[in-house]
Amino acid sequence: MTTRPDDITPPRDAPRTGVWLIGARGSVATTAVAGCAAVAGGLQPATGMVTETAPFADSRLPALADLVFGGHDTATTSLPKRAEALAADGVLPHGLPAAVRAELATADTAVRPGGPQPGDGRGEEELIAAFAADLTDFLRTHGLARAVVVNVASTEAAPEDTGTLPPSSLYAAAALRAGCPYVNFTPSTGLHHPRLREHAERSGLPYAGRDGKTGQTLLRSVLAPMFAQRALAVRSWSGTNLLGGGDGAALADPGAAAAKNAGKARVLSDTLGELPDGELHIDNVPALGDWKTAWDHIAFDGFLGSRMVLQTIWQGCDSALAAPLVLDLARLTARAHEVGLAGPLPELGFYFKDPDGGPAALADQYTALVGLAGRLRGRS
């Protein structure tokens, strides 16, 4: 599936596509790399991958077997070791890390140190230049047609000083400099920093984001339109998230939690016309590991003021929910780049809490996504 730098194969008829993951040794990235190898090798079905369904069959997306992985991370635990830990926690199937160890190890050789780390004296320009050079080297070494940068790192708090680029924006700036399409799967600032807006618009590159919609907000984007379309008045909408792992630890920071909650609230306000009363809490429960439980309590009025309540419980594995979406987004964005699309891709709002335009309801977002598949199909 991937190639070591010292074992480059001659060019093939189908050019290969790079997927450069920010947070490349985290749970989501590891699950995506392992899952891509498993599906491409026929070891597992493509459950959860929308791009493997019929509407996308002729959209000429890059094949899973032609994806080459690399990335940046500050962590030092290798991808094979991380995969073993995920299998021990029940996130990956038993035996899968061993079955795809070669692919994981190859991807791990393409992971470069991220930053800035404590004590790193480099300024913004030096960091951006270093990250862009890593991307350029990745493209050259593997003879890639293109590489899509996908941010799957831990959530960061919104910057208080807009004159300074946070880490997510340093990586986004490096993607622009290296000529790489960019996807922000996190609520972090990324390309949405005001200092990068003009650069993004002039780059001629497609980009999408932000904050992948995997669980609680996915359900909200289905239920909120139901209340609106049935003329049921929502009086309050409250929720609680219990999660562990790296996300739980990161979201224990109030600033990071606020950034995460902003996207969840936007789905409701965009669909219902205003944000209902209610609170949303995110609680770190380390014992849950990569698993999460989300509970929503919706109070609404029916005919003649009859008061009713709907409660939902979502229990899932965040990495297993996110990884197929990351693969979908990398393939769709790569194909968009190939056919010359540029700027924000609102048709990819299906995947995000806080998309770059487009409808808020999941059904409408899916219609837009299928429309994009048709556009990609019809271009040479």
Side-chain angles (χ1 to χ4, degrees):
M1 186 181 87
T2 53
T3 307
R4 293 178 177 82
D6 59 352
D7 186 25
I8 300 175
T9 57
R12 304 185 300 173
D13 291 339
R16 294 181 304 163
T17 297
V19 181
W20 188 264
L21 300 165
I22 309 302
R25 290 181 172 134
S27 297
V28 172
T30 304
T31 304
V33 176
C36 183
V39 174
L43 303 177
Q44 292 286 334
T47 305
M49 288 195 64
V50 179
T51 53
E52 286 294 295
T53 60
F56 301 84
D58 300 318
S59 296
R60 301 174 64 183
L61 305 180
L64 292 174
D66 290 324
L67 298 182
V68 183
F69 293 93
H72 282 115
D73 208 324
T74 57
T76 57
T77 301
S78 71
L79 281 166
K81 287 292 185 184
R82 187 77 186 101
E84 290 173 5
L86 290 174
D89 288 340
V91 177
L92 297 181
H94 176 72
L96 183 62
V100 298
R101 183 177 180 82
E103 288 88 345
L104 289 165
T106 299
D108 196 67
T109 65
V111 177
R112 298 293 176 261
Q117 300 193 60
D120 192 334
R122 291 176 294 175
E124 286 183 357
E125 174 57 30
E126 291 175 287
L127 287 164
I128 293 170
F131 296 155
D134 289 336
L135 273 163
T136 301
D137 182 65
F138 178 64
L139 287 159
R140 178 189 58 78
T141 299
H142 295 278
L144 304 175
R146 60 191 48 82
V148 179
V149 176
V150 185
N151 182 16
V152 290
S154 296
T155 299
E156 65 187 16
E160 296 180 4
D161 177 12
T162 57
T164 301
L165 295 178
S168 66
S169 296
L170 296 174
Y171 291 120
L176 296 179
R177 185 170 299 186
C180 295
Y182 176 83
V183 174
N184 189 0
F185 201 74
T186 81
S188 299
T189 304
L191 273 186
H192 284 79
H193 196 283
R195 283 178 52 192
L196 299 184
R197 187 173 297 120
E198 185 178 349
H199 295 290
E201 292 171 353
R202 293 183 317 188
S203 69
L205 297 167
Y207 50 88
R210 63 187 160 172
D211 199 2
K213 183 166 57 185
T214 59
Q216 184 180 42
T217 311
L218 177 67
L219 192 57
R220 287 180 167 206
S221 66
V222 174
L223 291 176
M226 176 193 74
F227 287 105
Q229 292 161 5
R230 293 297 292 268
L232 297 170
V234 176
R235 292 186 292 111
S236 68
W237 198 313
S238 301
T240 295
N241 270 271
L242 306 178
L243 70 163
D247 265 359
L251 294 172
D253 178 340
K260 187 78 171 177
N261 285 341
K264 292 177 178 287
R266 179 181 169 181
V267 171
L268 298 183
S269 59
D270 285 356
T271 306
L272 300 175
E274 61 181 3
L275 186 63
D277 289 339
E279 298 290 335
L280 181 61
H281 300 277
I282 298 178
D283 296 322
N284 180 26
V285 184
L288 291 178
D290 278 277
W291 300 81
K292 65 180 181 182
T293 297
W295 170 73
D296 270 21
H297 182 282
I298 309 158
F300 64 99
D301 286 343
F303 191 50
L304 305 179
S306 176
R307 296 203 159 186
M308 293 176 266
V309 168
L310 172 64
Q311 296 186 58
T312 66
I313 298 175
W314 177 288
Q315 293 179 302
C317 174
D318 211 32
S319 299
L321 290 165
L325 310 188
V326 169
L327 296 174
D328 278 353
L329 286 163
R331 300 173 81 194
L332 289 162
T333 308
R335 175 63 177 150
H337 183 239
E338 181 182 9
V339 303
L341 299 185
L345 298 174
E347 299 93 340
L348 298 185
F350 177 77
Y351 294 99
F352 296 106
K353 298 182 182 71
D354 191 13
D356 294 305
L362 190 69
D364 295 335
Q365 290 175 334
Y366 179 72
T367 298
L369 180 64
V370 172
L372 175 64
R375 291 174 62 196
L376 299 178
R377 184 182 307 117
R379 293 176 178 245
S380 60

